[in-house]
Amino acid sequence: MAEKKLDYMNIPAEKFEFVNHGERISDKAFEDKPIGYFKDAWIRFCKNKASVVALVIIVFVVLYAFLMPIFNTTVDPTFLASYYDRMAPRHTALREYGIMDGGVNRNFSEVSLLTKVGIGVGAADYEGKGDKSVKDGLESEYQPMLNVGNVIEKATGRRNKGKEIIDRTYPGRIDTYLELGFMYQSIQQSELKNIQAWEEETGLKVLYPLVEANEYNPAVGTTEEANIWYKANKSYVPMITGDNGKVKALESPFYSADLVIEDNYKRDGEGNPIYWEYTGGGSHETAQLKIRVLYYNYYYYQNGHEPNYLFGTDSQGYDLSLRMADGIKLSLLVAVCVSVINFIIGAMWGAVSGYYGGTTDIVMQRITDILGGVPFMVVATLFQIHLATKVGAIPSLLFAFVVTGWLGTAARVRTQFYRFKNQEYIMAARTLGARDRRIIWKHIFPNSLGTLITSSALVIPGVINQESMLSYLGIVKLGTSDATSLGTLLSDASKIWTDHPHLMIFPALVLSLLMICFNLFGNGLRDAFNPSLRGVEE
Amino acid sequence: MSDKGRMFKYILKRLFLMIFTLFIITAIMFVLIKLLPRELPMEKVKREVMEARWRALGHYDPIPVQFGIYLKNIFTKLDFGTSWYIEYNQPALEVLTKRLLPTVLVNLYSLIFSIPIGLALGILAAVKKNKWQDSLISTLVMVFVSVPSYVYAFIVQYTFYFKLDWLPVGMYALADAGNSYWTWKMFTSMILPILSLSFGEIAGLCRFTRAELTETLTSDYMLLARTKGLSRSQATVRHAMKNAMVPILPMLISSFIGILGGSMIIEGVFSIPGVGRLYIQSIQQLDYDVFMTDGIFYTFIGLLASIVVDISYGFIDPRIRMGEK
């Protein structure tokens, strides 16, 4: 085996070969993409179905809040329809299908049913002929009664002129928008021209005949009760001219489809109904004219569209869908601002406190202890009383949230700093001459970021809850034309919600939805960022 | 130093810190409230009575002097000022203490009602983790924890008062229910507020119990207990439950202290004459002394709860030694 042994001392030159000469040696690129901390968190977040759904819903709600005022071009956000307040949801297109018909269910007495049906009869008879029956009125598109149920008769046991009085109740559903019916308006000559031009153009009727003061009920025709266009007595029971020419009140039961009630329109010498009359004012331009309008069409004329309120209107007559968009915007604005500000303050405070430790830490801890004892409610109240008039309700609300809100973040950051500050890589950085600031922000802080983001995400529902609670309790007073809160809407509704449940249902639903979704989202985020759960599911 | 000595020292330290904190917060609140404008009523008699009282409290002196008088009155006479608008010329403290009983009753009933249910549901969810019972309970808990309490208030009012007409819409006035908070009639009128308070309470407790119990159920000593031959239920009750109770009990204790504070919203919605409603009233009517007293009261409760919770850990869990460095 001796000849096989290589002579290492004398290897011939040609046997030498340069390895990788002039060629770079580098690692091969990874076949798959690297998964960083945030990417990993995102992947795990996406696996949590509930959180993803919650995120989608949040996105929808946010989109609603910001896009609703843009796409709802028919109604200006500050538009106030004071006659149409507390109206039920209504949409002209959906009304055909029986949803969002602006209706409420109610029981009507015979007289009140006739006054409501009478609106439709009067609207059908815009020529003032007085020949339309109840049946014609029910077919009119301005008929407020959406349906009338069968009469429920109940004997009262009382007697009048030997006849027993029977209490008649008609269950029915009424369109609250059309229920308003007719209304007197005072306008100028030019306005009248405009209305007439508009009537011509659209074929819709705004102007209806004026009503004569009634000999049996002098108030009718002069007051705002523009809906009693027929002959009626003081309790609005219709009157008819009997065979002997004597006018008397109809006797119950008088409601039937064939009933034709006698009109009481103001007429000129030739018997034509009068549509306007001069009430005062000087020259031709400034002269005031009194007209009787069908408010539904008058609204159409004034605003260029029919009243379409997807969620109805609030107690002041604002469009509830826009008010809710305002409320959501405010809640989100406050929540995001608070969590960002608290995050920054808490991070700085906790970093200094946790990094330096010792006396600094003890002093800072005592300060947070004292601040932590302050009840939030008291702070919020005092800030509102002191600052609301000076800087506005929303900034002072923000201040109140910031005063004690950052304590939680600070405590968490402090713990994280205690955990990391004695680890080897920090020691290495310090040995290499890194300054404190660099170590805090470049080395320790990024490591604790995941935990902190998570805790901030759960701050948002808390802030939304407290904000709506404060405005609900009236401690924060919001309710101007351009800013409101879901809490304020609910607090307004709380007094009248038994009659107008939609005022309560929609804001409560949106608020609850926001809270649920943010909580779910926050929980998903927490699980996703929690390093100890990494790879557990696989 | 012995354990007891250390514990005693720790409690003393905490108490001292609590009094110090309470003092500082009171001082800040006092100054902030004093800075607000206040007016004398137009009516002559009331004006004289009120002004005499103001003089006695040093209203025309500098604020530090006023604060001194305020503190002196508190320590010597337990005098927290006077209510003028909520109850004319009544001591503020009396106005507050009179309202404690309804608040405590409603909240206590609600706690008694919700603790067993919350614990039971939490235990069920933890034992049946990742089964359908757990998913159902967890989903419901998520919903009930998130929905604000006044939404429940309206739901129960709508169902039980407006639709079914079984229960009254709010709490009866004292005179209507036999001049006592302990009558059956009074209790029935408290059912709706108790219910609306309980939903959130049950959900919160259930979530907490489930989290703690799932953690102890997966720990190593459970494995050991099973290896020793304990059945699953034995191990759960004797080992997991016992250890899960360590954080749960202090939480329950703190909620028992929290019942003193009451809920402003629920008391407002159901017109319960309690402490929370008093707070709102004092803001609306600018009854500053009552507001101040209520504020101190809330601060005190908060501080007390945190101390009691921290100390109770030491009593409940022998492994935790208080005040140890």
Side-chain angles (χ1 to χ4, degrees):
Chain A
M1 305 293 276
E3 59 275 4
K4 278 212 170 175
K5 194 179 176 185
L6 286 169
D7 183 3
Y8 288 111
M9 303 308 286
N10 303 300
I11 302 170
E14 68 270 12
K15 290 247 177 184
F16 280 99
E17 197 181 307
F18 288 109
V19 178
N20 292 331
H21 183 67
E23 203 179 298
R24 279 194 161 196
I25 306 171
S26 51
D27 289 332
K28 269 188 185 164
F30 281 117
E31 301 263 302
D32 48 354
K33 281 182 187 155
I35 295 177
Y37 180 57
F38 287 95
K39 173 100 197 225
D40 176 59
W42 174 246
I43 290 172
R44 263 181 297 130
F45 178 80
C46 287
K47 278 188 184 150
N48 192 338
K49 294 283 182 311
S51 304
V52 176
V53 172
L55 183 61
V56 171
I57 296 177
I58 291 172
V59 170
F60 267 111
V61 173
V62 173
L63 281 181
Y64 165 83
F66 285 94
L67 295 184
M68 194 69 184
I70 298 172
F71 283 108
N72 197 340
T73 46
T74 52
V75 181
D76 164 30
T78 53
F79 176 73
L80 191 67
S82 47
Y83 286 114
Y84 280 155
D85 59 342
R86 302 173 214 174
M87 290 285 148
R90 185 179 196 274
H91 195 274
T92 343
L94 297 171
R95 195 166 177 263
E96 311 293 320
Y97 305 103
I99 47 169
M100 295 201 173
D101 52 6
V104 288
N105 293 325
R106 243 187 258 161
N107 287 327
F108 297 87
S109 71
E110 194 170 20
V111 174
S112 72
L113 177 69
L114 193 74
T115 50
K116 306 300 176 200
V117 171
I119 294 170
V121 182
D125 182 27
Y126 53 81
E127 281 154 7
K129 284 181 185 152
D131 58 352
K132 295 281 188 280
S133 70
V134 166
K135 194 161 169 280
D136 299 324
L138 284 173
E139 279 161 8
S140 161
E141 57 178 312
Y142 302 112
Q143 174 54 252
M145 294 305 299
L146 294 164
N147 60 56
V148 183
N150 289 326
V151 62
I152 301 163
E153 297 194 343
K154 214 167 80 185
T156 53
R158 284 178 287 121
R159 285 179 172 277
N160 183 22
K161 290 176 195 161
K163 276 169 79 181
E164 187 166 18
I165 301 174
I166 292 172
D167 194 23
R168 292 187 174 78
T169 315
Y170 295 80
R173 191 171 170 79
I174 187 165
D175 184 329
T176 44
Y177 292 81
L178 292 168
E179 189 191 355
L180 220 56
F182 300 98
M183 199 177 280
Y184 287 115
Q185 292 284 325
S186 187
I187 56 164
Q188 290 182 356
Q189 188 73 38
S190 54
E191 180 84 3
L192 183 68
K193 291 259 157 58
N194 290 340
I195 294 177
Q196 282 167 333
W198 187 82
E199 277 185 332
E200 199 99 331
E201 191 186 314
T202 56
L204 298 168
K205 288 289 164 194
V206 177
L207 298 171
Y208 279 81
L210 296 173
V211 178
E212 189 79 63
N214 187 317
E215 59 198 282
Y216 307 99
N217 181 13
V220 171
T222 56
T223 59
E224 297 308 305
E225 195 54 278
N227 287 332
I228 311 294
W229 52 268
Y230 43 85
K231 290 199 176 91
N233 68 8
K234 281 198 181 82
S235 40
Y236 302 148
V237 178
M239 318 280 278
I240 47 154
T241 318
D243 302 330
N244 53 1
K246 221 177 156 192
V247 181
K248 59 172 177 129
L250 281 175
E251 273 178 31
S252 181
F254 52 76
Y255 180 78
S256 72
D258 307 323
L259 179 71
V260 178
I261 27 186
E262 282 180 40
D263 76 78
N264 193 31
Y265 292 131
K266 216 169 233 182
R267 293 174 194 279
D268 59 11
E270 290 157 25
N272 295 322
I274 297 173
Y275 288 87
W276 64 87
E277 81 187 352
Y278 173 77
T279 52
S283 65
H284 185 69
E285 283 80 29
T286 58
Q288 292 294 308
L289 298 175
K290 182 170 136 183
I291 53 167
R292 181 165 164 269
V293 297
L294 181 65
Y295 188 71
Y296 188 85
N297 278 346
Y298 189 63
Y299 179 98
Y300 197 168
Y301 157 73
Q302 277 188 315
N303 303 298
H305 57 86
E306 287 176 79
N308 280 333
Y309 294 102
L310 214 52
F311 294 138
T313 61
D314 74 356
S315 59
Q316 288 163 292
Y318 289 113
D319 186 349
L320 191 62
S321 65
L322 294 172
R323 289 305 258 179
M324 270 161 52
D326 282 341
I328 297 167
K329 258 189 281 187
L330 179 83
S331 285
L332 290 176
L333 177 83
V334 171
V336 170
C337 283
V338 166
S339 50
V340 168
I341 297 172
N342 283 346
F343 184 82
I344 294 169
I345 299 178
M348 292 204 285
W349 185 279
V352 172
S353 173
Y355 182 76
Y356 291 106
T359 324
T360 324
D361 185 33
I362 290 174
V363 172
M364 290 175 96
Q365 278 294 95
R366 283 299 86 83
I367 295 174
T368 54
D369 278 352
I370 291 171
L371 275 176
V374 183
F376 170 72
M377 216 51 168
V378 175
V379 181
T381 316
L382 284 173
F383 269 71
Q384 284 299 319
I385 299 175
H386 272 283
L387 288 175
T389 48
K390 288 177 199 131
V391 297
I394 300 169
S396 36
L397 180 68
L398 278 181
F399 284 140
F401 272 115
V402 167
V403 169
T404 54
W406 53 271
L407 296 175
T409 319
R412 270 184 291 270
V413 176
R414 180 173 165 272
T415 330
Q416 295 291 320
F417 270 72
Y418 263 99
R419 204 174 116 200
F420 289 119
K421 73 175 180 187
N422 290 325
Q423 293 203 343
E424 284 79 2
Y425 68 95
I426 304 297
M427 217 108 83
R430 192 173 292 133
T431 324
L432 287 170
R435 273 178 297 176
D436 284 348
R437 192 189 295 173
R438 189 178 168 79
I439 294 175
I440 290 176
W441 298 121
K442 286 272 171 184
H443 294 282
I444 306 180
F445 191 68
N447 272 309
S448 50
L449 203 58
T451 339
L452 299 178
I453 288 176
T454 313
S455 59
S456 308
L458 281 170
V459 166
I460 291 177
V463 172
I464 292 177
N465 188 24
Q466 278 177 320
E467 179 267 320
S468 59
M469 191 174 85
L470 285 174
S471 48
Y472 178 82
L473 288 172
I475 294 174
V476 181
K477 291 189 182 69
L478 297 161
T480 53
S481 59
D482 53 350
T484 191
S485 150
L486 290 173
T488 310
L489 289 178
L490 285 171
S491 133
D492 284 347
S494 67
K495 292 147 205 154
I496 47 170
W497 68 283
T498 42
D499 294 329
H500 310 279
H502 72 279
L503 287 180
M504 177 63 78
I505 291 170
F506 293 121
L509 212 61
V510 167
L511 184 60
S512 307
L513 201 64
L514 264 185
M515 294 285 298
I516 294 171
C517 290
F518 267 112
N519 273 328
L520 274 176
F521 173 66
N523 279 356
L525 220 55
R526 183 190 58 201
D527 294 348
F529 273 108
N530 188 348
S532 67
L533 290 173
R534 203 174 205 160
V536 167
E537 295 91 343
E538 274 87 29
Chain B
M1 204 191 284
S2 70
D3 265 6
K4 264 198 184 142
R6 201 186 295 124
M7 185 100 176
F8 183 67
K9 208 177 148 196
Y10 175 77
I11 295 175
L12 268 189
K13 199 176 130 197
R14 286 298 303 264
L15 276 179
F16 171 74
L17 196 70
M18 172 180 134
I19 292 166
F20 181 65
T21 312
L22 192 62
F23 174 76
I24 289 185
I25 294 173
T26 309
I28 296 172
M29 263 170 62
F30 187 84
V31 173
L32 285 177
I33 291 174
K34 278 289 159 190
L35 288 177
L36 294 169
R38 41 176 83 192
E39 281 172 10
L40 284 168
M42 297 311 283
E43 200 186 323
K44 196 162 173 265
V45 184
K46 278 192 180 176
R47 195 184 176 90
E48 274 165 12
V49 174
M50 210 160 152
E51 197 166 14
R53 176 74 175 142
W54 279 13
R55 262 181 213 291
L57 293 173
H59 181 66
Y60 301 102
D61 296 330
I63 288 178
V65 178
Q66 293 186 40
F67 187 54
I69 298 174
Y70 187 71
L71 285 186
K72 200 184 109 205
N73 278 342
I74 290 177
F75 285 118
T76 53
K77 294 185 277 187
L78 220 64
D79 175 7
F80 281 83
T82 314
S83 162
W84 296 107
Y85 303 106
I86 295 173
E87 282 180 32
Y88 178 68
N89 207 359
Q90 293 291 312
L93 187 65
E94 206 173 277
V95 172
L96 179 80
T97 46
K98 227 167 47 182
R99 284 166 170 75
L100 267 178
L101 186 61
T103 298
V104 168
L105 273 185
V106 170
N107 285 280
L108 191 65
Y109 287 144
S110 141
L111 266 192
I112 293 172
F113 176 66
S114 46
I115 286 177
I117 301 180
L119 279 180
L121 287 179
I123 294 169
L124 180 70
V127 171
K128 303 271 178 189
K129 193 174 178 334
N130 292 336
K131 297 204 176 107
W132 67 267
Q133 294 98 328
D134 178 36
S135 333
L136 180 72
I137 291 174
S138 299
T139 315
L140 286 181
V141 159
M142 200 64 226
V143 172
F144 280 105
V145 157
S146 309
V147 175
S149 60
Y150 44 94
V151 175
Y152 298 129
F154 291 119
I155 294 174
V156 294
Q157 269 188 344
Y158 187 78
T159 331
F160 294 105
Y161 166 71
F162 194 63
K163 279 283 154 188
L164 301 171
D165 201 15
W166 287 353
L167 295 164
V169 67
M171 196 162 142
Y172 286 126
L174 205 49
D176 291 341
N179 280 323
S180 164
Y181 285 112
W182 302 96
T183 55
W184 176 250
K185 195 177 171 195
M186 195 55 128
F187 179 75
T188 54
S189 73
M190 287 186 198
I191 291 178
L192 289 189
I194 292 170
L195 265 185
S196 29
L197 278 172
S198 298
F199 286 121
E201 202 104 45
I202 292 174
L205 188 57
C206 173
R207 180 164 74 169
F208 196 68
T209 311
R210 180 188 174 272
E212 293 302 329
L213 196 58
T214 35
E215 205 182 313
T216 51
L217 277 175
T218 49
S219 52
D220 291 339
Y221 56 76
M222 277 296 284
L223 200 63
L224 178 70
R226 291 301 300 280
T227 4
K228 281 197 312 187
L230 270 70
S231 74
R232 194 177 137 86
S233 53
Q234 277 175 326
T236 306
V237 173
R238 289 189 203 160
H239 294 275
M241 277 298 291
K242 218 170 166 183
N243 280 293
M245 276 301 156
V246 171
I248 293 173
L249 273 183
M251 186 203 162
L252 292 183
I253 292 172
S254 84
S255 31
F256 270 103
I257 296 174
I259 61 177
L260 288 170
S263 156
M264 295 177 191
I265 286 182
I266 296 295
E267 291 188 2
V269 172
F270 293 101
S271 56
I272 299 168
V275 184
R277 194 152 153 250
L278 181 71
Y279 183 83
I280 302 297
Q281 277 178 330
S282 69
I283 301 165
Q284 282 166 351
Q285 306 185 15
L286 298 181
D287 209 335
Y288 292 122
D289 284 356
V290 178
F291 175 61
M292 179 84 197
T293 316
D294 223 349
I296 296 175
F297 180 68
Y298 275 128
T299 315
F300 177 71
I301 292 172
L303 292 170
L304 187 72
S306 76
I307 288 191
V308 172
V309 166
D310 285 356
I311 294 172
S312 65
Y313 271 109
F315 285 106
I316 293 162
D317 191 349
R319 289 171 303 183
I320 299 172
R321 294 184 178 181
M322 284 292 146
E324 220 167 45
K325 285 278 178 306

